[in-house]
Every structure is written in structure tokens, then in C-alpha cells.
Amino acid sequence: MDPVVPVTDWQLSARGTARHRAFARACPPVGSVFSSFERKAMDGADILAEAQGLVARRVASLHENDRSATGYLPPAEFEAMADAFFAHPRDSQRGWERAIDAQARVVMTLRRVVAEAPSGDIAVVAHGGIGALLRAHLRGVGIDRSHDQPAGGGGGHLMVVSLPDWRLLQDWTRIEDFAEAQA
């Protein structure tokens, strides 16, 4: 994390890159890989796509909730803002995109991605907040921080969704655990 670099331009750490490489080696075949234009998501998607002999496709509207109004926030302040984002989904927090708007955008975008994707399984590499909003939608419940990735792992979790019924098949799983289970 570098406060002078826009959050959307942060690269994967060495640990994050290693985690994505291990996942890419273990991931079953997919027909397509998608990501947002955020650097971490693109880096992870490119690692997976290369391992699969594919080219990752970028989708602008897969981006994390828009937090540009505040830019970088120190970790404790960011966590408090994220708590408020999830606790009050109909309200903007200091100019952040509202959670209900972000959720609607992500669900609509993923439905479009699925409709336009070539045959085969689809991998979407995005940020945890996007996954949390999707998880709440898939479970048919309200937006809440409890849908976020488990804390303490530095991100790097995945979910598996059944299509076309949009059913959560595998809940948040660390990508290392998924890779180990596939080995």
C-alpha cells in the first residue's frame, strides 16, 4: 500500500503474486477470464489467463466500490469506512459509491459477462468488496459486512457460483486452500 499511488494502481505484493500463481497452476480449465481495470485484479487475471492459454478480458464496471472521494485511507480509518459502507448501504459514506448502487452495478455486469462469455467455466478476478456484494445478492439477503472475505488473510479468497441458476456452490475459500484441495 502506497498512499501516493492511487488505490486502483496498487500492484499485487510478492505474496499475492505467489498466491495467484499457485492458484493458476491448480485451477481447473476455464473458458474465459475477466477482471476490472484495477491493477491487482488485472495482475491476478493475467496470471490465471496465461496459465490457461487465454487472454484476460477487462470490464470497467467490475471495479470495486468507488472510493475516489477519499482516496487512500490509513488501515484503521479505511476499516471504519468499510464498516459504515456495509452498515448503511443506502447512504454514501464521505462521497463513496453507495453499497446498493455498487451491488446493482456488479450484478448487472456479471449477468452481462455470463451472457457474452464463450462456452466453458468463467473466472472473474475482482476485489473482495465486489464478492461481498455478490454473496449477499446470491443468498438473497441484505448487504452486510458479514458477507466480506474472512479477515486476517490479506484478501485472496474465491467463491464458486453455479450457472445458470446463480447458486453459491462454494463459499469464501482462501486461494491457497483451493489450490491444495485440487492438487
Side-chain angles (χ1 to χ4, degrees):
M1 298 187 310
D2 185 345
V4 300
V5 174
V7 174
T8 56
D9 294 338
W10 287 353
Q11 296 179 330
L12 286 173
S13 66
R15 179 176 178 238
T17 299
R19 293 167 87 188
H20 276 278
R21 286 187 177 138
F23 171 73
R25 287 189 298 272
C27 184
V30 297
S32 52
V33 178
F34 294 87
S35 79
S36 69
F37 280 92
E38 293 152 317
R39 179 85 263 147
K40 283 184 181 183
M42 290 190 300
D43 291 348
D46 289 345
I47 291 167
L48 177 58
E50 182 179 332
Q52 297 272 335
L54 302 168
V55 174
R57 295 168 58 182
R58 313 295 186 219
V59 181
S61 53
L62 281 175
H63 65 83
E64 183 72 281
N65 61 300
D66 183 353
R67 305 185 309 252
S68 59
T70 59
Y72 170 82
L73 295 173
E77 188 176 353
F78 171 78
E79 291 301 326
M81 283 290 292
D83 286 344
F85 170 80
F86 285 107
H88 306 284
R90 296 185 177 285
D91 300 326
S92 173
Q93 306 302 317
R94 292 176 46 195
W96 282 17
E97 179 181 22
R98 298 182 319 157
I100 59 167
D101 296 332
Q103 183 185 54
R105 170 181 47 81
V106 167
V107 170
M108 180 183 68
T109 299
L110 289 173
R111 289 194 181 281
R112 188 182 80 241
V113 162
V114 168
E116 296 173 0
S119 64
D121 288 342
I122 301 166
V124 176
V125 181
H127 291 276
I130 295 309
L133 296 170
L134 175 64
R135 184 177 185 270
H137 172 78
L138 293 173
R139 297 187 74 195
V141 298
I143 294 169
D144 185 272
R145 186 91 194 247
S146 68
H147 298 290
D148 207 356
Q149 298 179 76
H157 290 76
L158 64 86
M159 291 183 291
V160 178
V161 177
S162 170
L163 298 171
D165 57 342
W166 292 89
R167 188 170 40 89
L168 186 61
L169 287 180
Q170 183 172 345
D171 210 346
W172 286 123
T173 304
R174 289 177 354 120
I175 60 176
E176 295 94 336
D177 295 342
F178 182 87
E180 289 173 14
Q182 300 301 307

